Amino acid sequence: MGVRSWWLRLRGLVAREQVERELDEEVRFHLDMETQTNIRRGMSPEEARREAHRKFGGVERHKEAAREARGTRPLEDLVRDVRMSMRGLARSPGFAAAVLCTLALGIGGTTSVFSVVRGVLLRPLPFPEAHELTTIWLANDREGIEEDVTSWPNFQDWRSQTDAFQEMVAVSGGRFTVTQEGPAEEVRGAFVTDGFFDMLGSTMHLGRGFRAEEARDGAAPVVVLSHELWVRRFGAAPSIVGTNVILSDRPYTVVGVTQPGHRHPHDAELWTPLTFDDGMQGLRESRGALWLPIMGRLAEGVTLEEAQAQMDGIARRLAGEYEVNEGMGVNLEPLHETLVGDVRTPLMILFGAVVFVLLVGSANVANLLLARGAVRAREMAVRLSLGAGRARLIRQVVTESAVLGLLGGLLGVGLAAAAVSGLERLVPLELPRLDAVGLDGGVLLFALGLSLGAGLLFAVLPALQVAGADPGEHLKEGARGASSGGLGRLRPLFVVGQFAFAVVLLVGAGLLTRSFFNVMAVDAGYDPEGVLTAEVRLPDPRYPDSESVRAFYATLVPRLQSLPGVEHAGVITAVLLDRLPNMGRIALEGRPDLEEVLSRHSVTRDAATADALRALGIELITGRLFNSTDGPGAAMVAVVNETFVRRFLPEAGVDGALGQRFVFGDGTEEDPGWITIVGIVEDAKRSGLTEEVRPAAFLPWTTVPAQVGQLVLRTGARDANALHLVEGLRAALQEADPTLPLTRIRTLEQAVSATMAQRRFLTVLLAAFALAGTLLAAVGIYGVMAYLVGHRTRELGIRAALGAHRGDIISGVLREALTQAGAGLVLGVAGAMVLSGLLRTQLFGLEPADPLTFTGVAVTLLGVAMLASWIPARRAASVDPAVALRGE
Amino acid sequence: MGDDRADMLQGTLDLLILKMLALGPMHGWGISQRIRELSDDVLQVNQGSLYPALHRLEHRDWVRSEWGTSENNRRAKFYRLTPLGARQLGEERGGWRRFADAVDRVLDAEGRVADKGPREGSKVAGEGDLAPA
């Protein structure tokens, strides 16, 4: 049957009325002609017509046969079945609402999470041949940092010595202040070596990337803007290329604007060539100064393994040539992995959880369908006995389930659309590749498959009910849904399954919640309450040297300290250490035995005023903090933390460490820059509550002031909200320099909380899923117990009549419920033991097989089972024996 | 009624219709009339199976239909043979001939099994010679 056949079928379906009319007309013509012939043969008109009709046979039957031959029957049947299903659902709105709600939430949730998984994890990066893009990490085996950044000289050597990469660029992040055409705004930018845009393969919306001459030191500054920034701050002016914009108080010439969505790396909004100012020459030459992230594109046909082998060789050569490179290797990682590797596990956990919720909800839907099937058993029996084909009825029932599935799926997709569009607001953290998340074809296909699959799966049960239905049974007097009795045995199994899944969900949520609280309970080593922080950036042109920076803060800090309500105020280079803290290498004085090994270790290096440390609540253990004698011209001093002492001066101990000297590796021959330790402070977890503390050294702000400083203010009042200080802070800054924007204003509590954003999000979401799953399981067990009780009214009535105690009956029902729940619990615990191992990386302070959590979950669910079964139990006990025995 | 027999009869009807249309486009009634005429009233097409057959043939794209005016100025649905149908007609003709020969041979059997080939005096189905349905 070829194309013609399908065309005719389509026409038969679409233009059905017209086709019917044509059939009519054709038959009528035939009959008329036949009649006329008969008349010519001598019959009377009525006789003629009758004869014609007789010869033709049953007109309707033949029309029907012709229709059959048209072959559109199955489609017409389907359309009719669907219509009937819709009508049937409209007649049972309660049932329909329950099923559709459950399915919508289940399918909607699963689709939402899937769209995130697909966009973030599955989609390749939006660059040509994106699998070739690689992050090139320094494997810092000495300090056990597998993914470290490297130095400029290393970068140059890697680049020139390899042929496994067609291009290699350095990409260093930075922040810029935009003040033009609007309020001061801080945006992320990146310093890149030339070849960056070519390597990525990205096209420009306007203009071009960087040329080699623009990347030379001393060249006029140029910038490429992101599409979003161009629209947001520069009015999408098409003539922007070639004009100057002011960034962080410096003029840059715009040479290009990227396509929308191009924000690599780390949401950068502008890119400028990486050049070395006069002050930065040390960084250019120092091989030990690790600050540069490197990316590359593999050469054609080169695999990651081959490139890794070659880079290993290069790293070994360099380690042999340069002492400072000893123990340094290279680690290659696909760029996609770098961006999303961290969120893979949490996302997959969430996906698994939401699928479980869908399964638990589906069990409820199956129960509802079984119940409905039992109710309509009588109707089915009547139809069967009237001659309806069993296959026909089964087909109808299957259609109904499919319609339910698809409708539920449709609603679910609507929910998912709403969730995904609001994703940026709902999700409090920066998901990598959020721009790639959306309801695209693949996601919709997934939702369709899920809906159809659910619908057809559900269809199995009612279909079995119809298939096994015995009309005689149902038409007897007093028949009690006999056919569902067989399938009704499945219901307790559903409960077992639901509770098993609920256990897994609750265990997961429980473990994560306890981890969360464990993290919160960590002693941070500083006191985050009542502390306000803000960042100030002093632009180069007006503050070109240390003297001007020092002078600025010399006026600002006293003003801050004298603000009402301020107990301590100061400035520090970093409050909390983000991914790439300021590090430096040290060598200790007079420790010939340790010098070889330890001199290679690095410490975090910060400049701070004494009051800043006090404001942060970092306790002094021994010695002193900085005072007015520690300034430019005086001997260099430092305050170090306990870990510093433990790591480098273990025998000296805290008291013996005072007076020891060390030096950073960036000194010169004549003036190594010896620093004396004058104070020891307690460890502060500035890298996040779950991270190990690194050895830290604090230098006096007055000797090494920085252009970017974090102001720290502590309120005197215990429970005062630190944000009250913002007004005063702004005013003070205004007085000192009205043109400076104040950015990153937040309390220390908020800053700490932000480090836990991902953990919190995962925990909250998983807890929500677990709650949903538990509620659904409770509804499930309630429904099943209610059904069982209703089913046995007669038996219960007899027992009551025979004198059974109310209490006995209630406990009997509860025992049955507990058995089902208990079986589910056992299965669930076994499953949870296995699956919780997957959570290991997300846990803190407890093991995946934590007995307390498991016990708590088991007890909770048993309680839920009892609670949910309470009402049916009571109803069982209050059955009136007389009514039951009458057997309505 | 066995399926095979229905198929055979269906096939025969299809063949007749295709042949009629090879002589020129016709409407359904015209086809049944012509068949009756040409067979001297022997073959009276069950008119209730005529139209299903026509629709079947149309699905196979062996005939196409279009509305036109009949000889007595009435609107009627005319059918005509397609090239595909013409080729099918040729094939079915051959098949029919082989079938008719086979039936003849069986019917003329006189008890001897191993005879092959046409026997003297046996009828060989020729053009225009249609066996009774």
Side-chain angles (χ1 to χ4, degrees):
Chain A
M1 292 274 176
V3 176
R4 183 103 194 126
S5 179
W6 283 110
W7 165 247
L8 290 170
R9 275 180 220 244
L10 189 65
R11 189 160 173 267
L13 199 63
V14 167
R16 212 185 26 195
E17 284 197 19
Q18 182 179 0
V19 171
E20 286 282 313
R21 257 184 288 129
E22 284 183 4
L23 193 60
D24 263 348
E25 195 164 350
E26 197 174 12
V27 168
R28 227 177 325 127
F29 173 77
H30 189 117
L31 288 172
D32 285 349
M33 297 295 276
E34 190 69 21
T35 309
Q36 291 211 0
T37 315
N38 288 342
I39 290 176
R40 268 205 297 275
R41 289 218 192 99
M43 296 190 203
S44 72
E46 309 87 48
E47 251 191 281
R49 189 153 280 280
R50 238 182 305 128
E51 181 65 20
H53 271 267
R54 190 193 64 81
K55 276 262 285 289
F56 201 91
V59 169
E60 257 320 306
R61 190 155 52 86
H62 294 303
K63 276 212 254 174
E64 188 66 34
R67 280 194 213 111
E68 278 283 357
R70 272 213 310 270
T72 58
R73 203 54 190 287
L75 277 170
E76 288 173 5
D77 280 348
L78 188 66
V79 169
R80 196 174 325 137
D81 280 345
V82 169
R83 280 230 192 99
M84 274 191 70
S85 308
M86 303 286 266
R87 257 179 295 162
L89 289 177
R91 263 180 282 139
S92 322
F95 165 81
V99 169
L100 289 178
C101 265
T102 313
L103 283 180
L105 285 174
I107 295 180
T110 312
T111 308
S112 305
V113 177
F114 179 75
S115 68
V116 174
V117 167
R118 181 179 154 80
V120 172
L121 296 179
L122 298 178
R123 282 249 193 136
L125 295 174
F127 302 116
E129 312 290 329
H131 59 275
E132 288 172 349
L133 294 172
T134 317
T135 311
I136 304 170
W137 298 110
L138 180 77
N140 192 337
D141 294 329
R142 266 210 298 236
E143 308 200 33
I145 304 174
E146 275 182 32
E147 295 173 354
D148 206 351
V149 295
T150 192
S151 61
W152 181 262
N154 275 349
F155 166 56
Q156 297 296 345
D157 284 339
W158 287 355
R159 191 167 185 210
S160 56
Q161 291 181 25
T162 187
D163 61 358
F165 287 90
Q166 39 178 299
E167 182 63 82
M168 213 188 269
V169 300
V171 183
S172 178
R175 285 176 190 273
F176 294 79
T177 320
V178 183
T179 42
Q180 260 172 299
E181 336 256 357
E185 181 189 355
E186 193 181 71
V187 298
R188 286 214 203 133
F191 296 93
V192 300
T193 55
D194 69 312
F196 174 74
F197 292 106
D198 289 332
M199 179 191 80
L200 288 179
S202 35
T203 51
M204 290 291 163
H205 180 69
L206 290 178
R208 56 170 175 82
F210 303 125
R211 298 209 188 99
E213 55 267 22
E214 285 159 346
R216 275 193 220 124
D217 297 348
V222 293
V223 71
V224 167
L225 303 176
S226 77
H227 197 269
E228 290 80 4
L229 183 65
W230 174 60
V231 166
R232 196 168 73 237
R233 286 304 287 242
F234 299 101
S239 56
I240 194 155
V241 175
T243 63
N244 276 5
V245 299
I246 311 286
L247 300 166
S248 297
D249 275 19
R250 285 175 87 192
Y252 290 77
T253 311
V254 179
V255 297
V257 175
T258 64
Q259 298 284 0
H262 183 290
R263 302 285 290 269
H264 291 264
H266 302 306
D267 253 5
E269 297 230 58
L270 55 91
W271 297 263
T272 187
L274 181 66
T275 58
F276 293 86
D277 301 334
D278 294 323
M280 286 171 72
Q281 289 303 327
L283 278 178
R284 184 189 251 282
E285 274 134 31
S286 166
R287 193 172 283 271
L290 306 178
W291 58 286
L292 269 184
I294 313 287
M295 303 193 214
R297 181 184 276 278
L298 290 170
E300 265 197 59
V302 176
T303 67
L304 195 70
E305 292 75 30
E306 287 166 3
Q308 176 75 58
Q310 193 187 77
M311 295 301 290
D312 283 341
I314 296 175
R316 265 197 302 273
R317 266 205 305 279
L318 290 174
E321 275 179 55
Y322 303 100
E323 229 184 293
V324 76
N325 270 21
E326 229 182 83
M328 304 294 189
V330 170
N331 224 343
L332 298 183
E333 184 181 40
L335 185 61
H336 187 255
E337 190 62 29
T338 310
L339 291 177
V340 305
D342 282 339
V343 294
R344 175 172 287 120
T345 310
L347 274 181
M348 294 313 286
I349 290 174
L350 282 178
F351 187 66
V354 80
V355 167
F356 279 2
V357 172
L358 178 63
L359 287 174
V360 174
S362 300
N364 279 352
V365 171
N367 268 331
L368 281 169
L369 282 170
L370 277 179
R372 187 150 193 266
V375 161
R376 293 166 75 198
R378 196 154 204 179
E379 171 203 332
M380 291 289 171
V382 169
R383 289 173 69 186
L384 274 175
S385 56
L386 284 180
R390 207 178 278 265
R392 182 93 178 72
L393 284 184
I394 290 184
R395 201 169 55 206
Q396 193 181 331
V397 150
V398 168
T399 311
E400 196 174 82
S401 294
V403 164
L404 271 178
L406 284 171
L407 274 181
L410 202 66
L411 289 173
V413 165
L415 278 180
V420 166
S421 68
L423 205 60
E424 288 200 358
R425 270 173 292 119
L426 290 175
V427 172
L429 43 93
E430 291 169 7
L431 265 182
R433 310 224 52 221
L434 199 58
D435 52 296
V437 172
L439 286 183
D440 61 11
V443 174
L444 287 175
L445 213 63
F446 171 81
L448 182 68
L450 209 59
S451 321
L452 268 180
L456 291 176
L457 204 66
F458 292 141
V460 170
L461 296 165
L464 285 177
Q465 274 180 318
V466 171
D470 180 0
E473 265 307 313
H474 288 276
L475 295 174
K476 274 192 251 166
E477 272 285 326
R480 288 303 247 104
S483 79
S484 66
L487 282 178
R489 277 197 289 268
L490 281 179
R491 294 195 188 199
L493 280 180
F494 285 142
V495 171
V496 170
Q498 283 181 310
F499 269 75
F501 285 130
V503 165
V504 176
L505 284 172
L506 279 177
V507 164
L511 287 173
L512 283 179
T513 310
R514 285 195 63 201
S515 293
F516 187 78
F517 286 119
N518 281 351
V519 172
M520 298 263 288
V522 165
D523 178 14
Y526 51 84
D527 184 3
E529 273 186 42
V531 176
L532 180 72
T533 71
E535 183 176 280
V536 171
R537 233 165 236 279
L538 299 180
D540 265 334
R542 283 181 292 119
Y543 299 90
D545 54 14
S546 303
E547 191 49 53
S548 45
V549 173
R550 195 176 299 128
F552 170 78
Y553 282 105
T555 44
L556 180 64
V557 173
R559 280 210 188 95
L560 296 178
Q561 285 170 326
S562 61
L563 284 176
V566 169
E567 195 183 8
H568 296 290
V571 59
I572 189 172
T573 43
V575 173
L576 293 178
L577 304 173
D578 50 12
R579 267 190 100 189
L580 302 173
N582 211 353
M583 307 278 279
R585 274 131 200 277
I586 61 155
L588 291 147
E589 182 182 40
R591 309 213 121 236
D593 47 329
L594 294 176
E595 203 172 295
E596 276 309 307
V597 178
L598 295 180
S599 66
R600 307 285 158 64
H601 280 241
S602 54
V603 306
T604 65
R605 173 184 172 157
D606 286 293
T609 62
D611 229 24
L613 293 174
R614 288 192 201 101
L616 284 175
I618 300 180
E619 295 270 331
L620 181 69
I621 296 179
T622 183
R624 64 171 180 84
L625 293 179
F626 314 125
N627 55 33
S628 49
T629 60
D630 308 314
M636 260 308 244
V637 297
V639 169
V640 301
N641 68 357
E642 295 173 282
T643 305
F644 185 105
V645 173
R646 259 202 306 275
R647 187 81 62 86
F648 303 127
L649 303 162
E651 339 72 40
V654 160
D655 293 301
L658 292 177
Q660 298 279 356
R661 301 211 299 174
F662 66 93
V663 69
F664 280 103
D666 54 359
T668 58
E669 273 295 336
E670 324 90 51
D671 178 20
W674 288 108
I675 305 170
T676 314
I677 301 175
V678 296
I680 321 278
V681 290
E682 63 172 352
D683 283 340
K685 287 191 185 289
R686 294 159 72 214
S687 304
L689 293 173
T690 56
E691 299 295 322
E692 257 189 61
V693 180
R694 302 201 205 202
F698 297 94
L699 302 173
W701 180 267
T702 43
T703 45
V704 279
Q707 270 166 321
V708 180
Q710 315 289 329
L711 302 174
V712 189
L713 293 86
R714 174 179 286 279
T715 62
R718 210 58 200 115
D719 50 354
N721 185 358
L723 289 172
H724 293 163
L725 298 174
V726 176
E727 280 303 313
L729 176 57
R730 273 199 211 277
L733 184 64
Q734 189 82 355
E735 281 179 40
D737 185 341
T739 68
L740 289 178
L742 197 64
T743 56
R744 295 178 98 189
I745 305 170
R746 53 192 181 159
T747 66
L748 191 53
E749 283 167 318
Q750 288 172 336
V752 172
S753 171
T755 64
M756 308 229 293
Q758 182 171 318
R759 180 180 293 278
R760 182 183 303 114
F761 179 64
L762 180 64
T763 308
V764 164
L765 219 56
L766 201 58
F769 287 154
L771 193 67
T774 309
L775 275 175
L776 287 171
V779 166
I781 198 174
Y782 167 81
V784 169
M785 295 316 295
Y787 159 79
L788 286 177
V789 163
H791 207 55
R792 304 198 200 127
T793 316
R794 202 169 207 173
E795 171 197 330
L796 290 166
I798 293 174
R799 287 175 68 191
L802 289 179
H805 283 299
R806 221 176 117 91
D808 285 340
I809 295 184
I810 289 183
S811 62
V813 172
L814 286 181
R815 227 174 326 146
E816 183 157 1
L818 283 181
T819 316
Q820 293 173 9
L825 239 60
V826 168
L827 274 178
V829 163
M833 291 273 197
V834 171
L835 291 174
S836 64
L838 298 172
L839 278 182
R840 191 179 287 274
T841 53
Q842 309 294 317
L843 297 182
F844 181 80
L846 72 170
E847 283 298 300
D850 182 53
L852 186 60
T853 312
F854 274 82
T855 319
V857 165
V859 167
T860 308
L861 278 177
L862 285 176
V864 163
M866 290 225 317
L867 213 66
S869 320
W870 184 249
I871 298 179
R874 283 196 46 191
R875 206 184 297 152
S878 55
V879 164
D880 185 352
V883 170
L885 288 170
R886 241 182 282 138
E888 40 84 53
Chain B
M1 209 196 214
D3 272 345
D4 285 357
R5 190 164 166 205
D7 274 353
M8 259 176 13
L9 291 174
Q10 239 184 37
T12 314
L13 182 55
D14 288 355
L15 176 60
L16 295 179
I17 295 174
L18 286 176
K19 174 62 184 181
M20 289 300 100
L21 292 179
L23 302 176
M26 248 180 258
H27 48 66
W29 187 76
I31 295 174
S32 76
Q33 286 300 97
R34 277 295 257 163
I35 292 179
R36 195 160 60 183
E37 283 166 25
L38 285 176
S39 69
D40 277 338
D41 262 6
V42 174
L43 296 178
Q44 312 213 358
V45 178
N46 180 352
Q47 297 166 21
S49 31
L50 173 68
Y51 289 101
L54 282 168
H55 289 137
R56 207 171 40 242
L57 292 174
E58 198 171 2
H59 265 251
R60 286 210 167 102
D61 209 13
W62 292 341
V63 309
R64 291 239 173 147
S65 66
E66 57 192 5
W67 285 90
T69 322
S70 70
E71 49 277 9
N72 55 351
N73 263 329
R74 292 228 12 215
R75 212 168 99 92
K77 199 172 191 186
F78 283 80
Y79 295 86
R80 61 179 166 79
L81 198 62
T82 64
L84 213 60
R87 193 168 53 194
Q88 185 67 20
L89 173 59
E91 282 176 27
E92 296 247 354
R93 279 302 280 288
W96 172 260
R97 192 149 299 164
R98 283 194 294 280
F99 169 71
D101 282 356
V103 170
D104 264 352
R105 281 204 295 280
V106 171
L107 290 180
D108 288 346
E110 281 172 25
R112 268 181 298 166
V113 179
D115 265 54
K116 291 193 174 105
R119 298 166 57 82
E120 196 150 294
S122 70
K123 259 206 301 197
V124 175
E127 197 153 359
D129 200 349
L130 298 169

